[in-house]
Amino acid sequence: MPMGHDAPLTKEMILDAAEQVLRRFGPEKTSVVDIAKALQVSHGTVYRHFPSKAALREAVTERWLVGCISAPLEKIVSEGKGSATERLRLWLDTLRKSKRDYFTRDTEMFAMYAAETQESVETVKAHVNHLIQQIATIVEQGIQSNEFKPGQPEVIAKAIFMATSRFHHPAHANQWLAEDEEETFQAVWELLLRGLV
Amino acid sequence: MPMGHDAPLTKEMILDAAEQVLRRFGPEKTSVVDIAKALQVSHGTVYRHFPSKAALREAVTERWLVGCISAPLEKIVSEGKGSATERLRLWLDTLRKSKRDYFTRDTEMFAMYAAETQESVETVKAHVNHLIQQIATIVEQGIQSNEFKPGQPEVIAKAIFMATSRFHHPAHANQWLAEDEEETFQAVWELLLRGLV
């Protein structure tokens, strides 16, 4: 979608174009000039909004993490349907399903996110903290209703997130399609639940 | 250590040379010819023992996994000192420590092992099953002595191994040097223990 030079250029418009171009060319081959071309502006104009290609990549990944991963999970936490156990299981299943779906269907974006995770960029760290906070809310509700044993919700939430890394950290993506994946997750889930309930 | 053409060439000698050459040149740049040269034999002689460079790499990794990772852990299981909880903790700490040490001090070998893990070669799968079997022995002893809750030792062992992936799977190596790593592991350990004891 090229646009005229005189249209007001917002960060959101740059991210839309960047996402499209990054998907088409891949993170390595995409340059800021390519993104500027898609917007029909000079690369200087893009640089006024984002200081580097790395910053652009990070912003595109962040928008994706928030919109496609965190937001649907946040809904599960805030709607508060069912028991804390049911909510925690739905939360983990939803996280796993969306990661798996993006891994198989949105390869370019997933590869970019996997690379940013490996480089441990700030936005990914913030995303992880945000997810742990969501689990902590579920755990706290479970403790308050006496469904879960007493404990520090944030410490337990971090433990749950870390103990399930194998099922949502992008470095393990290849293993998610294994035949016995559900069975493996079920074994971990049951062990964790025995510690919680 | 070049050797004469007439010395009997054993698999072990080829693996010794292969390990040295792989360490020096790295897995990508090493060829079977390089390994044959180090042994002062023709590459055909090496091929008679190992059908491909991949088979050689796999055999070197396997020998390393057994000798440097599994064997010290096996000792903890067979000596049977302390409670099952203490033994399980020592087993996990030993696994984590050896992985971390090799990651920081034996970079070439660790990189080769990480690559073989990513490609999910048979020897790495067998290694993982062997480690899970070791945990299962500890869990079974813990159940029999009424220290652990009843359950299926092999399923619980697999769950413990998977739930601690973040702390021993090579894809997470960069995270092992984080300042709060011990604290993160402690949180997971306490949650798992609440499920076991």
Side-chain angles (χ1 to χ4, degrees):
Chain A
M1 272 180 305
M3 39 172 295
H5 289 240
D6 47 355
L9 193 66
T10 63
K11 281 206 166 193
E12 209 59 24
M13 283 152 73
I14 297 176
L15 290 180
D16 286 338
E19 190 171 322
Q20 279 181 38
V21 175
L22 283 163
R23 274 216 171 84
R24 202 172 338 138
F25 298 157
E28 295 315 313
K29 286 181 192 160
T30 298
S31 72
V32 172
V33 172
D34 296 324
I35 295 162
K37 262 190 201 158
L39 287 161
Q40 294 195 333
V41 299
S42 73
H43 61 275
T45 306
V46 175
Y47 279 125
R48 271 200 292 282
H49 290 84
F50 295 95
S52 64
K53 179 182 151 185
L56 254 170
R57 276 180 59 167
E58 205 172 323
V60 168
T61 309
E62 184 185 20
R63 193 173 67 160
W64 177 77
L65 283 172
V66 171
C68 300
I69 306 287
S70 300
L73 295 170
E74 185 64 50
K75 245 184 107 182
I76 295 168
V77 178
S78 62
E79 283 179 353
K81 281 184 197 154
S83 66
T85 303
E86 285 163 344
R87 216 143 58 233
L88 183 60
R89 177 65 194 241
L90 179 62
W91 191 95
L92 285 166
D93 281 345
T94 306
L95 175 63
R96 291 175 59 214
K97 189 182 180 321
S98 56
K99 290 282 180 87
R100 199 172 50 230
D101 285 352
Y102 285 109
F103 169 59
T104 51
R105 291 185 211 155
D106 194 357
T107 321
E108 281 294 353
M109 183 59 84
F110 192 86
M112 199 157 76
Y113 149 65
E116 307 270 273
T117 302
Q118 210 50 46
E119 290 158 26
S120 178
V121 300
E122 284 308 315
T123 47
V124 175
K125 278 192 209 165
H127 168 70
V128 166
N129 287 334
H130 187 63
L131 294 189
I132 292 173
Q133 200 45 59
Q134 291 185 354
I135 305 178
T137 304
I138 299 176
V139 171
E140 195 169 7
Q141 291 163 346
I143 292 173
Q144 277 171 358
S145 66
N146 290 319
E147 188 183 338
F148 290 168
K149 294 177 206 164
Q152 291 172 274
E154 303 227 346
V155 176
I156 295 168
K158 190 174 182 182
I160 294 171
F161 188 81
M162 294 300 167
T164 52
S165 296
R166 159 71 182 66
F167 305 98
H168 52 68
H169 190 288
H172 295 277
N174 281 321
Q175 300 169 275
W176 301 338
L177 308 175
E179 234 178 67
D180 61 349
E181 180 68 2
E182 254 341 280
E183 195 189 310
T184 307
F185 179 72
Q186 187 62 27
V188 171
W189 167 253
E190 279 167 17
L191 179 58
L192 294 180
L193 210 59
R194 281 180 13 164
L196 287 171
V197 175
Chain B
M1 268 180 311
M3 40 173 294
H5 290 240
D6 47 355
L9 193 65
T10 64
K11 279 206 166 191
E12 209 59 24
M13 282 153 74
I14 297 177
L15 290 179
D16 286 338
E19 189 173 322
Q20 279 181 39
V21 176
L22 283 163
R23 275 217 171 84
R24 202 172 339 136
F25 298 157
E28 295 315 313
K29 287 180 190 158
T30 297
S31 72
V32 172
V33 172
D34 296 325
I35 295 162
K37 261 189 202 159
L39 287 161
Q40 295 194 332
V41 299
S42 73
H43 61 273
T45 308
V46 175
Y47 280 125
R48 269 201 293 282
H49 289 83
F50 296 95
S52 65
K53 180 181 150 186
L56 253 171
R57 277 180 57 168
E58 206 172 324
V60 168
T61 309
E62 185 186 19
R63 194 174 65 159
W64 177 78
L65 283 172
V66 171
C68 299
I69 306 289
S70 300
L73 295 170
E74 186 65 50
K75 244 183 108 182
I76 295 169
V77 178
S78 61
E79 284 180 355
K81 282 184 196 152
S83 66
T85 303
E86 285 164 343
R87 216 144 57 232
L88 182 59
R89 177 65 194 242
L90 179 62
W91 191 95
L92 286 166
D93 282 344
T94 306
L95 175 63
R96 292 174 59 214
K97 191 181 177 325
S98 57
K99 290 281 180 86
R100 199 171 52 230
D101 285 353
Y102 285 109
F103 170 58
T104 51
R105 292 185 210 155
D106 194 358
T107 321
E108 281 295 355
M109 183 58 85
F110 192 87
M112 199 156 78
Y113 150 64
E116 307 270 273
T117 303
Q118 210 50 44
E119 290 158 28
S120 181
V121 301
E122 283 309 314
T123 47
V124 175
K125 278 192 210 165
H127 168 71
V128 165
N129 287 335
H130 188 64
L131 294 189
I132 291 173
Q133 199 46 58
Q134 292 185 354
I135 305 178
T137 305
I138 300 176
V139 170
E140 195 168 9
Q141 292 162 346
I143 292 173
Q144 277 172 356
S145 65
N146 289 318
E147 187 183 338
F148 290 169
K149 293 176 206 164
Q152 293 171 274
E154 302 227 347
V155 176
I156 295 169
K158 190 173 182 182
I160 294 171
F161 188 80
M162 295 300 168
T164 52
S165 296
R166 159 72 180 67
F167 305 99
H168 52 68
H169 190 287
H172 296 276
N174 281 320
Q175 299 168 276
W176 301 338
L177 308 175
E179 234 177 66
D180 61 349
E181 180 68 1
E182 253 341 281
E183 196 188 308
T184 306
F185 179 72
Q186 187 61 28
V188 171
W189 167 252
E190 279 167 17
L191 181 57
L192 294 180
L193 210 59
R194 280 180 12 163
L196 286 171
V197 176

